[in-house]
Amino acid sequence: MKLTFKKYGQLQGRDLCEFVLENDHGMSVKLLNYGATLEDVAIPVDGAKRHVILSLKQAEDYSKERNFLGGTVGRIAGRVWHGQWKNGDHIRQLPINDGENHIHGGFGTDQQVWSFRPEQGEDFVSVHFSLLDPDGHNGFPGNLQLEATYTLNNSGELLYDLTAYSDKLTIFNPTNHTYFCLDDLGTKIDQTKLFLDADYYLPVKEDGLPVGGMEAVEGTAFDFRMGKSMEDALKSGDAQIALRKGLDHPFILNGQKTAAKVVASDGKVSMKIGTNAPAPGNDLREITLEPGKNWQWQVSWKFEY
């Protein structure tokens, strides 16, 4: 196992650093302390490196404008209607930055420079990123302490662990915003095969907010329980998919150890996903964080190649 890092710039009076994690089987991961970002995942395939997440050309590009690629997005990842959170008789107004609604925390955690602590063991390498988001920032109550840890091991597994603590009751529902493409930078995304252990999904309105209750996936384009290509869903003519110009919907996971599996069109790379959240993007987590309570979200991406 190997872990290296380099400084590549400064922002907000802090050093910007890029980390490279490598296991003993040729898999490598790049991380940035800007936004606690997953910058790159490379898998050895046929004697070459296959890059399996969407990335920018260089680390310096990530802070030029907000792009969400691989970032730790919060405090809120999803949308808040009219940016208003009602707590008892008090209404908190959050920034309006998505039509008439709030999304992705305003000037979010993915746009801030995190502190870091590398760690190296016999069969793993990790980077622990930490951030204090102050009381009142973007209208959110509470001093929020965050720690995001990425760990690569020799089993081809990349682990992501996010913990949070607040000194006030606050609204909180983050995510990791990585876009995976196992066929090397989006060349054949339609042919990627997806298995998703979810019996229900949430239909949404034109603005992306849920319509109401959940609906069964059975008999719809959203049924990935037996596995099918993304093309089958995207070209199905389903009204919900047409409304959002693709799949942009929360799925309700059944809670199994493997929540999803993705297989490249050539079958040479696959990825199993596990999480302790009820939805793949964490959209349905309890959205309030009580003061003094630790909050934890875990996800694992296990690659086979």
Side-chain angles (χ1 to χ4, degrees), residues 42-54:
I43 306 292
V45 177
D46 296 336
K49 285 292 185 76
R50 178 179 295 189
H51 300 272
V52 295
I53 71 171
L54 298 185

Side-chain angles (χ1 to χ4, degrees), residues 176-190:
N176 180 284
H177 216 287
T178 301
Y179 293 87
F180 290 93
C181 181
L182 304 191
D183 281 288
D184 204 1
L185 303 184
T187 53
K188 300 177 182 177
I189 187 65
D190 287 358

